[in-house]
Amino acid sequence: MDTQNTMSAKELATLNIKGIKIASPYGTLLGEPEKNAVIFIWGEKGAGKSTFSLGLANALAQHGRVEYIPAEEHFGKTLVDRVKRLNATHSNLNFTKWKSLTSLKEILLRNRSAFCVLDSITVIEANDKMTVELAQWCREQGIGFIMVAHATKDGKYKGNTSIAHECDIEIKVTKEGLAETEKNRYQVLSSIEVPFTSPKNHEYKDENTAPVKRENPVDLPFSISLEQIDKLHKLRSWKRVNSLLGSKMPCYAKQHSGESERATLSIRYVPDYYNKRYIVELLIDGELKTQICTEGAKGGFAASWAKLVKKHGNLEVQILAQDHAKKVLGAREYRRQEKLQGSTPDCPPSGKTKAKKTPKRKSTPPTKKTARKKPAAKNTKPASAPKKKTTPKAEVDLEAARKSQAKLDAFLEKVLS
């Protein structure tokens, strides 16, 4: 517990605060957070929040005692089944029934717990202020606090923004079986597949025996230029461009003109319809960098955007989240990259398809004689009959070519002599 209130810059520079290394795949998502970090997990009903939080609790048990409070399920059958499925049986993992915030603090201090997982804050009927105070108390005591919350119908977490501001890591669990970091103070944002949520993985009790799958459909993070974005989409709206660049969807109010403190690049469109002048402004980190103007009948946003791409097409946007990657790449390109990360196409199948196409081409232009012979072939139903007839044709063609070559050689000898 840190009791020092003031510290000089030199003293602060000498500190060596190390994070904890968490077992895969949770470590790849979280990085190396401090032991007293506050983690906020939320998602829709049935998305796999409890599965993810229990797996994380079992991984954190390697660094000290974990108090897991199943406020929703208590010690019921669903909790027992989940513990068995995840093989979450670390000796430092303990389950405690929910009573009150006061009793929870007493239990954490008495057991000298290193981590506390509260699943979920929605059920304990604590308001946002009480939840934030509990998170701050755990941080001061050197206890890592992991809180789980439900999502509302509009796809946001229950509670005000004070909870997200207090946490060091915010994780959203989606119904597609992904856990995505919306905020992380310890590494770049990324996503992983929640272990044991897909039906294929339910039969595996050990992660080492489970089939190896890529953590992300598309590797993150990656950079994409304005020129590449322009090739993937038909961009006719500045709102659409801003959504692809990562800025918030703009409103019509001036204070929400598409610029965002989190966006490296953003676009502002200033049309003057009366004078038929259309200006597109490029902002980098919220500062105006360049203006592109088009006029008259050939003007407009699309024309101004095309000029901007021609001038600054090499500017890049960093993509950190899977949902953003799907939006920027588009459904077709996203599926293509997803397939490339799976099984690579083999060469033999492509050779076989070529071999199948050649007999079809030879059989398409039939003569009158071959057309008369076809009904007789249908009665016997021989599959290899048309293929066998195609091979002599190639030999006859070769013989005819040799004869014509011989006549040409004889003619040339007479002329030259």
Side-chain angles (χ1 to χ4, degrees):
M1 183 175 171
D2 189 12
T3 55
Q4 194 170 352
N5 295 324
T6 60
M7 189 177 291
S8 66
K10 288 184 179 180
E11 290 174 335
L12 190 65
T14 57
L15 293 178
N16 185 18
I17 302 173
K18 293 183 179 180
I20 56 174
K21 293 184 178 181
I22 308 171
S24 180
Y26 305 98
T28 57
L29 180 70
L30 304 179
E32 295 185 7
E34 296 177 68
K35 204 169 183 180
N36 64 339
V38 177
I39 301 173
F40 179 45
I41 304 168
W42 66 280
E44 294 181 42
K45 188 177 181 180
K49 304 181 297 296
S50 297
T51 300
F52 179 83
S53 58
L54 180 58
L56 175 61
N58 193 59
L60 290 172
Q62 298 177 1
H63 302 278
R65 183 183 175 98
V66 178
E67 298 293 340
Y68 192 100
I69 294 89
E72 288 187 26
E73 302 164 309
H74 305 287
F75 292 168
K77 184 180 183 300
T78 54
L79 178 63
V80 175
D81 292 342
R82 191 177 297 115
V83 169
K84 291 178 181 178
R85 190 172 75 244
L86 271 67
N87 196 24
T89 55
H90 198 282
S91 57
N92 283 336
L93 179 59
N94 300 274
F95 295 88
T96 305
K97 287 185 178 182
W98 167 257
K99 291 183 180 179
S100 64
L101 287 172
T102 306
S103 63
L104 176 60
K105 291 179 181 179
E106 291 174 357
I107 290 169
L108 293 175
L109 292 175
R110 184 172 63 248
N111 296 336
R112 296 182 180 179
S113 303
F115 304 95
C116 172
V117 182
L118 183 54
D119 184 12
S120 68
I121 58 174
T122 311
V123 179
I124 64 172
E125 297 180 355
N127 56 32
D128 298 332
K129 185 180 178 181
M130 293 168 65
T131 305
V132 170
E133 287 177 355
L134 177 61
Q136 291 173 346
W137 180 86
C138 287
R139 196 195 295 275
E140 291 171 0
Q141 300 297 325
I143 301 171
F145 183 55
I146 298 94
M147 49 182 166
V148 185
H150 294 301
T152 57
K153 291 181 180 179
D154 56 353
K156 298 179 180 179
Y157 57 84
K158 288 186 177 180
N160 59 31
T161 55
S162 60
I163 298 174
H165 286 309
E166 182 61 31
C167 70
D168 301 303
I169 302 173
E170 180 186 346
I171 302 169
K172 178 184 177 182
V173 181
T174 66
K175 282 197 171 182
E176 289 76 20
L178 291 176
E180 302 174 344
T181 49
E182 301 274 307
K183 171 185 176 182
N184 195 339
R185 290 175 177 166
Y186 303 101
Q187 73 163 13
V188 296
L189 305 181
S190 61
S191 64
I192 64 168
E193 196 174 81
V194 180
F196 300 96
T197 53
S198 61
K200 292 182 180 178
N201 290 342
H202 283 181
E203 56 186 313
Y204 296 95
K205 293 183 179 179
D206 187 6
E207 290 184 8
N208 298 325
T209 60
V212 179
K213 291 187 71 177
R214 298 190 70 92
E215 292 173 354
N216 297 320
V218 173
D219 282 335
L220 293 175
F222 69 89
S223 298
I224 186 169
S225 65
L226 295 184
E227 188 177 2
Q228 291 171 327
I229 291 175
D230 185 62
K231 288 179 181 178
L232 291 172
H233 301 275
K234 289 182 180 179
L235 298 170
R236 299 173 182 172
S237 167
W238 65 291
K239 294 181 181 181
R240 174 69 171 154
V241 173
N242 276 325
S243 68
L244 296 175
L245 297 183
S247 27
K248 297 174 182 176
M249 283 299 292
C251 305
Y252 289 105
K254 290 182 179 179
Q255 62 266 30
H256 297 292
S257 58
E259 303 127 57
S260 169
E261 66 277 1
R262 296 180 61 186
T264 306
L265 296 175
S266 58
I267 296 296
R268 183 162 54 201
Y269 183 44
V270 187
D272 184 0
Y273 296 109
Y274 182 78
N275 296 315
K276 295 183 179 180
R277 296 180 74 251
Y278 311 95
I279 300 172
V280 167
E281 298 177 342
L282 174 68
L283 298 100
I284 300 178
D285 293 329
E287 296 182 5
L288 179 64
K289 294 297 178 182
T290 187
Q291 286 183 332
I292 303 293
C293 179
T294 56
E295 298 179 351
K298 294 183 178 179
F301 174 77
S304 300
W305 167 254
K307 276 191 175 183
L308 181 67
V309 171
K310 190 175 181 180
K311 189 176 180 180
H312 299 287
N314 58 344
L315 287 175
E316 292 183 337
V317 181
Q318 192 176 30
I319 311 302
L320 304 173
Q322 285 294 327
D323 55 349
H324 192 193
K326 195 168 186 178
K327 185 186 294 183
V328 171
L329 296 175
R332 184 180 295 178
E333 178 64 19
Y334 189 83
R335 269 189 255 110
R336 190 186 72 82
Q337 291 199 22
E338 192 175 357
K339 287 179 181 178
L340 288 175
Q341 296 205 19
S343 56
T344 54
D346 298 323
C347 295
S350 59
K352 288 178 183 178
T353 52
K354 288 181 181 178
K356 287 178 182 178
K357 287 179 182 178
T358 47
K360 288 181 182 178
R361 288 177 183 174
K362 290 180 182 178
S363 59
T364 45
T367 58
K368 291 182 180 180
K369 292 181 180 179
T370 53
R372 288 174 186 173
K373 290 179 181 179
K374 277 184 180 178
K378 283 182 181 177
N379 296 330
T380 53
K381 294 182 182 178
S384 59
K387 292 182 181 178
K388 286 182 179 178
K389 288 178 183 178
T390 54
T391 49
K393 285 182 182 180
E395 293 177 3
V396 173
D397 292 338
L398 288 172
E399 289 176 6
R402 287 170 187 166
K403 287 179 181 180
S404 63
Q405 185 65 37
K407 287 180 181 180
L408 181 62
D409 293 340
F411 174 75
L412 290 171
E413 284 179 6
K414 286 181 181 180
V415 173
L416 292 171
S417 63

